[in-house]
Amino acid sequence: MDLAFSKEDETFRQEVRQFIEECYTPEMRRLHARSKHGYITKEAHIQWQKSLAKKGWLAPNWPEEYGGPGFSQSQKYIFNVEMGRAGVPHTIPFGPTMVAPVIMKFGSPEQKKRFLPDILETNVLWCQGYSEPGSGSDLASLKTKAEDMGDHFLVNGSKIWTSVAQWADWIFCLVRTSNEGKPQEGISFLLIDMKTPGIKVDPIICLDSTSAPNQEVNQVFFQDVKVPKENLIGEVNKGWTYAKYLLEFERGNPYSPGLYSSLDEVREMAKETVVNGRPLAEDPSFKARYADLRSQITAMEFTELRIFSSLSIGGNVGPESSLLKCRGTEIQQEISQLMVEVLGDYAAPTIENGMIETNEPEVGPEGAFTAAPYYFSLRKASIYAGSNEVQRNIMAKAVLGL
């Protein structure tokens, strides 16, 4: 594996860094520093994504025929690395990363023309309607029903843990259209306008304590919601196939750049935290924890580079995407735990403060305001996008043949 990048790649790296310097404004940085779950305000998030769209970089994985930038595999990797290292707001993935590839592969020409340009320009925001109360990891047990009424479907039920539903213009939903055969065989994939009568969004305030409208997750209720037939993706009762295809795009991105950045932030906090008259960063036990985590990230980085090398010569990610998801989220959780341990009591006063904006002075090292909520928020990381237990089953079957 050749780890050297070409001169053209390094020129591209500088272009990405210059873009970040110009478009990642001081106000965005301030808001992001006070975010407890990675999202900033809706307006600022749209501003950031429209900057990416103007540059042609909002959807680095899209084919050129649909407006993608035509990045090489090395450019995609460099782009993700530089964005992660800079700690910019993540692109809200539900439109460009999740539903768009499904529309490209399984949607009708009319659906592609109608939805893809607005997704690419961030003219609309999307959310994901998969999980339900009592139907999380066992997604095939979902009960939200779509009844065929001739020229439309009538949808009743609810979805839960729906990220940014309070901001979304559209939701893509898995719905039950048949109870015959295996549970997976009676599911369809619908695109639903969130302004349709009968839709209600209730916020879920989690342990990170962020209050509405800037909380992350919601429960979405559907009561006699009319959905036009033209909003059905592909065929009726084939939604499970489309859902599995979508999940390929929810995993597999590099984690190491963001992990390095988070761990370095912990080290800076440890330099400012004084214990027994000296900075905690000089404590042998902290140094050992820091070195262990950094070595884990380095191992993950080389795994990502190995996958990138395979992709650059035409290979596929394969079961390694499950490996990246498991290790990436586990290391995220370990870093957040170390952060809270380093801060100690400095994290406690901010736990119940649910506002992104506050006039109260911060106490402790920079970043203490969000440390505990960030720790609590990351408990979900090993569950979303397919729980880590499920990912290990995938690896066991695909790699070990168990």
Side-chain angles (χ1 to χ4, degrees):
M1 179 175 65
D2 185 1
L3 297 182
F5 289 96
S6 68
K7 182 179 179 180
E8 291 76 13
D9 288 337
E10 293 300 336
T11 299
F12 176 72
R13 187 191 304 276
Q14 293 304 315
E15 184 181 0
V16 175
R17 290 178 177 177
Q18 182 178 353
F19 170 83
I20 293 171
E21 182 66 26
E22 293 174 356
C23 296
Y24 188 26
T25 66
E27 176 63 9
M28 289 181 191
R29 295 172 190 267
R30 185 186 71 82
L31 289 171
H32 203 223
R34 302 184 72 84
S35 171
K36 300 177 181 181
H37 43 51
Y39 293 98
I40 49 180
T41 64
K42 178 181 179 180
E43 294 74 20
H45 230 114
I46 290 175
Q47 180 186 345
W48 169 247
Q49 292 192 192
K50 281 189 172 291
S51 297
L52 286 167
K54 184 177 180 180
K55 184 71 173 177
W57 289 353
L58 180 72
N61 294 317
W62 282 29
E64 287 185 84
E65 64 179 297
Y66 293 115
F71 285 167
S72 65
Q73 288 296 336
S74 58
Q75 286 177 318
K76 289 179 186 177
Y77 182 80
I78 290 169
F79 179 81
N80 286 323
V81 165
E82 294 304 324
M83 291 292 171
R85 285 176 176 168
V88 301
H90 58 262
T91 298
I92 298 174
F94 309 108
T97 306
M98 295 184 185
V99 75
V102 174
I103 295 173
M104 290 176 195
K105 187 170 181 66
F106 302 105
S108 67
E110 293 76 18
Q111 289 170 335
K112 295 174 185 178
K113 183 178 180 180
R114 178 183 179 188
F115 293 109
L116 293 179
D118 279 341
I119 293 174
L120 191 60
E121 297 298 323
T122 312
N123 293 331
V124 296
L125 295 179
W126 286 75
C127 60
Q128 179 184 32
Y130 273 24
S131 295
E132 298 181 4
S135 180
S137 295
D138 181 19
L139 189 57
S141 67
L142 66 87
K143 293 180 173 61
T144 295
K145 183 179 179 181
E147 186 178 0
D148 190 335
M149 304 299 290
D151 64 341
H152 67 274
F153 293 101
L154 195 65
V155 179
N156 284 279
S158 71
K159 298 293 180 178
I160 202 166
W161 310 123
T162 314
S163 298
V164 300
Q166 78 276 21
W167 295 353
D169 304 290
W170 284 78
I171 182 172
F172 58 91
C173 273
L174 293 182
V175 295
R176 184 155 301 286
T177 44
S178 174
N179 290 309
E180 298 179 3
K182 295 180 180 179
Q184 293 90 339
E185 296 174 354
I187 294 173
S188 297
F189 196 109
L190 288 182
L191 311 180
I192 305 176
D193 188 335
M194 291 289 283
K195 297 186 294 296
T196 308
I199 296 179
K200 179 186 178 186
V201 178
D202 280 353
I204 299 175
I205 307 304
C206 297
L207 282 173
D208 68 12
S209 74
T210 306
S211 57
N214 291 311
Q215 88 286 347
E216 182 178 6
V217 293
N218 308 267
Q219 185 166 3
V220 182
F221 297 91
F222 303 88
Q223 183 174 357
D224 293 334
V225 176
K226 294 182 179 181
V227 181
K229 283 286 185 69
E230 58 263 30
N231 289 7
L232 171 72
I233 291 291
E235 300 177 44
V236 174
N237 298 331
K238 297 294 185 181
W240 190 253
T241 298
Y242 314 145
K244 289 191 297 182
Y245 180 77
L246 182 148
L247 287 172
E248 294 179 16
F249 298 91
E250 197 172 355
R251 311 173 190 136
N253 290 322
Y255 279 86
S256 59
L259 295 174
Y260 279 128
S261 179
S262 295
L263 187 59
D264 288 341
E265 184 180 356
V266 175
R267 183 175 60 179
E268 293 305 310
M269 292 177 176
K271 290 179 181 179
E272 297 181 46
T273 303
V274 178
V275 178
N276 297 326
R278 66 175 184 175
L280 184 60
E282 299 176 6
D283 184 85
S285 62
F286 172 81
K287 288 182 177 181
R289 293 274 299 279
Y290 176 86
D292 177 61
L293 283 168
R294 194 165 186 88
S295 66
Q296 291 185 49
I297 300 171
T298 300
M300 185 159 190
E301 180 183 23
F302 274 81
T303 300
E304 291 169 350
L305 286 167
R306 179 166 49 82
I307 293 171
F308 154 68
S309 179
S310 175
L311 290 172
S312 66
I313 57 174
N316 296 316
V317 175
E320 286 90 343
S321 65
S322 293
L323 184 152
L324 294 182
K325 197 273 176 177
C326 282
R327 291 301 297 135
T329 55
E330 288 167 353
I331 297 172
Q332 276 182 328
Q333 291 174 339
E334 289 185 51
I335 292 173
S336 71
Q337 180 174 336
L338 179 60
M339 182 181 294
V340 171
E341 292 176 5
V342 164
L343 290 169
D345 290 343
Y346 285 128
T350 66
I351 290 175
E352 295 183 359
N353 190 329
M355 299 297 292
I356 275 185
E357 300 291 345
T358 177
N359 292 323
E360 292 294 324
E362 294 184 36
V363 295
E366 184 178 357
F369 177 85
T370 59
Y374 179 66
Y375 166 85
F376 288 127
S377 180
L378 276 179
R379 297 313 93 192
K380 67 180 182 293
S382 53
I383 299 173
Y384 61 53
S387 70
N388 285 9
E389 291 79 8
V390 171
Q391 301 311 307
R392 287 187 170 87
N393 284 340
I394 293 173
M395 289 185 284
K397 292 178 181 179
V399 179
L400 302 177
L402 299 178

